[in-house]
Amino acid sequence: MNQRFPTHHPLFFRNTSHQSDFEKNGFVIIPFYNPAQINTLYELYYKLSPSNEIGFFPSTFSKDTNYRNTVDTEIRKTAEHIIGDTFVNTKTVCGSFIVKKPGNESEMGIHQDMTLVDESKWCGINVWCPLCNLTKHNGTLFVLPKSNRLIPTLRGATIPSIYQDGEVQSLIKKYAHPIYLKAGQAIAFDPSIIHFSPPNITNTDRVVTNIYLTHKDARFITAYWDKYNFGNFVELFEQPDDFFTNFEQFGNDIMEKPKMGKSIGKVPYQFPLLTADQLRKTYTTTKPIAHLLKKIFSYARTNL
Ligand SMILES: O=C(O)CCC(=O)C(=O)O
């Protein structure tokens, strides 16, 4: 698997302007659930979800296999038609709840999501959709537009990130944009985009559903680095399509070698780092970014 960006994007969106915004910026805002579907999903959440969780809690982190599977099945069932109407050539791999319980522990720091496909050919899409309106108090998502195209990476809990430097992290926070979605609007984003979310400091759970999709022909692949033994190599594991729902190591022994999947060998990796200069150059000279967000949100206002 090469760490380079694809020369062309697979077609994912039926709407050509969604596809081109996604390609240009690494994300696009789309209409997703209607009010009845939001109610169905809230009922599911209150019926099934453990009440003793605190902080930031994705259902994929639960130790209860039945809970993970039921959430996955029901979210995918509720979204099935919208997904069919919105996307082409995709397979839906996992539906989950991502919850921020009230409190400062619910902050989610700067990150890119783990590698799940060969990104020199394919890409994944997270369809992240809140069931409530997002505000600056309840843990909205911030994204750094176009950051999925800054450096090609392999990612996973054991692999050092590209944004370790303190100044780099401050600049990411400075240039990132909050995405204030209304209940039922979704952001469809490339999982390699740099993103984060502040804590939910209201009194109510912030409930989001996330659905991960990728191209129907893409193999599911995860990456693992043993820092004592691998040097500049990373081991890749082919995973079954139910990886997300059946992987037991999230929120558990995530730093251990994957206990699921089949090793397909090691690839060289140089552990690249983002620099403050690269960020400044990209985000102070890329004037379209402010303009572009305005365009995206005016599209959202008129079309959603
Ligand atoms: O739900 C959130 O606040 C953040 C979600 C996120 O960062 C992720 O799913 O990778």
Side-chain angles (χ1 to χ4, degrees), residues 141-290:
L141 193 71
F142 282 67
V143 296
L144 184 63
K146 299 176 188 282
S147 54
N148 54 320
R149 289 291 173 266
L150 289 172
I151 301 182
T153 47
L154 289 174
R155 307 174 308 279
T158 54
I159 303 175
S161 70
I162 57 171
Y163 34 80
Q164 291 170 43
D165 175 78
E167 191 184 4
V168 164
Q169 296 200 6
S170 308
L171 289 172
I172 289 173
K173 292 218 158 157
K174 176 171 167 186
Y175 299 131
H177 291 269
I179 308 293
Y180 291 121
L181 299 170
K182 301 274 180 235
Q185 283 181 342
I187 174 172
F189 65 94
D190 180 335
S192 68
I193 206 166
I194 296 176
H195 58 288
F196 59 92
S197 57
N200 171 13
I201 51 166
T202 68
N203 294 323
T204 319
D205 295 1
R206 189 227 61 186
V207 184
V208 162
T209 70
N210 191 68
I211 297 176
Y212 180 87
L213 320 159
T214 187
H215 192 279
K216 63 181 172 35
D217 298 333
R219 279 196 304 174
F220 224 35
I221 288 170
T222 56
Y224 164 72
W225 185 58
D226 174 342
K227 71 174 173 185
Y228 300 109
N229 295 305
F230 284 7
N232 280 17
F233 283 85
V234 165
E235 187 170 8
L236 302 179
F237 288 79
E238 181 163 2
Q239 300 290 355
D241 282 358
D242 63 1
F243 164 78
F244 248 130
T245 330
N246 287 328
F247 189 60
E248 303 272 351
Q249 289 172 250
F250 288 127
N252 199 0
D253 51 351
I254 191 68
M255 300 305 280
E256 301 292 313
K257 186 171 175 161
K259 299 187 174 96
M260 184 174 169
K262 181 180 124 224
S263 174
I264 51 174
K266 296 198 183 81
V267 291
Y269 189 61
Q270 299 308 320
F271 302 95
L273 287 171
L274 258 180
T275 65
D277 267 1
Q278 183 179 4
L279 280 175
R280 273 197 213 92
K281 272 197 201 108
T282 310
Y283 291 96
T284 53
T285 55
T286 316
K287 128 179 149 281
I289 288 180

